[in-house]
Amino acid sequence: MERLDIDLVSHSDETKLFTNVRKALVCGFFMQVAHKQKEKESYMTVKDNQIVGLHPSCGLKTQPEWVIFNEFVLTARPYIRTVTEVRPDWLLEDAPLYFDLRGFPAGETKRALERVQAKKLGKIPARPDDEGGSCRGTPSNDREAKRRKKE
């Protein structure tokens, strides 16, 4: 934590404690991230673009959008195990070199991270599938959107 300049803080509030533990895990396991695929019950690993499922013994009751994992288990189907939910903004903050979107391959994961980054910067993508990053919020873009809607 000292090497990454993360404050050494203890919390009596369990929610903050668990959040801080998960943030610390992101710092160490940033290459072992998976993103939930739209309308599917599977995940895509960010590093290898492998489609995987949550192992039945992973311990999660829900299927969060973003997870980090410790184990990749190959049975009749590839699974990830020892999994916890993470927030995508943590990925952008705590592993900025690895999650540099300029060099990220195009796809659903990149678009999801671009939306997170735009939201963080106070910009909202004009359309969820936009790769270019044109944003609402400026008067000219709002006028342009209204004009297109009328046409």
Side-chain angles (χ1 to χ4, degrees):
M1 290 177 70
E2 290 171 354
R3 182 173 53 92
L4 295 172
D5 197 27
I6 299 172
D7 293 336
L8 298 170
V9 180
S10 181
H11 286 282
S12 58
D13 179 357
E14 283 190 9
T15 304
K16 288 182 182 179
L17 176 68
F18 293 131
T19 298
N20 287 344
V21 168
R22 290 185 299 140
K23 282 183 174 184
L25 288 171
V26 166
C27 291
F29 288 89
F30 61 88
M31 291 181 70
Q32 291 173 238
V33 174
H35 178 247
K36 188 167 185 342
Q37 299 296 287
K38 281 186 181 175
E39 301 174 19
K40 296 180 184 174
E41 294 201 16
S42 60
Y43 286 81
M44 173 86 65
T45 62
V46 172
K47 179 184 174 203
D48 303 321
N49 290 327
Q50 297 240 356
I51 295 179
V52 297
L54 293 178
H55 193 274
S57 69
C58 76
L60 291 178
K61 292 179 179 158
T62 62
Q63 290 193 343
E65 183 179 4
W66 293 90
V67 295
I68 57 172
F69 59 94
N70 184 42
E71 296 175 273
F72 184 94
V73 180
L74 188 57
T75 59
R77 179 178 172 203
Y79 287 103
I80 52 177
R81 188 167 55 190
T82 316
V83 177
T84 191
E85 180 178 6
V86 295
R87 291 184 24 201
D89 52 312
W90 298 345
L91 304 171
L92 296 171
E93 291 168 10
D94 297 329
L97 296 176
Y98 189 77
F99 288 93
D100 182 0
L101 298 181
R102 293 174 294 191
F104 228 73
E108 191 176 320
T109 301
K110 180 177 182 175
R111 286 190 297 274
L113 287 169
E114 286 174 333
R115 285 191 300 271
V116 169
Q117 191 171 49
K119 185 176 179 181
K120 185 178 176 181
L121 296 172
K123 301 174 183 178
I124 302 170
R127 292 188 310 257
D129 359 33
D130 270 358
E131 298 245 3
S134 73
C135 298
R136 288 186 183 165
T138 59
S140 60
N141 286 345
D142 288 342
R143 281 194 299 269
E144 183 67 21
K146 287 178 186 175
R147 183 186 62 75
R148 275 189 260 139
K149 190 174 180 179
K150 286 181 182 177
E151 295 175 353

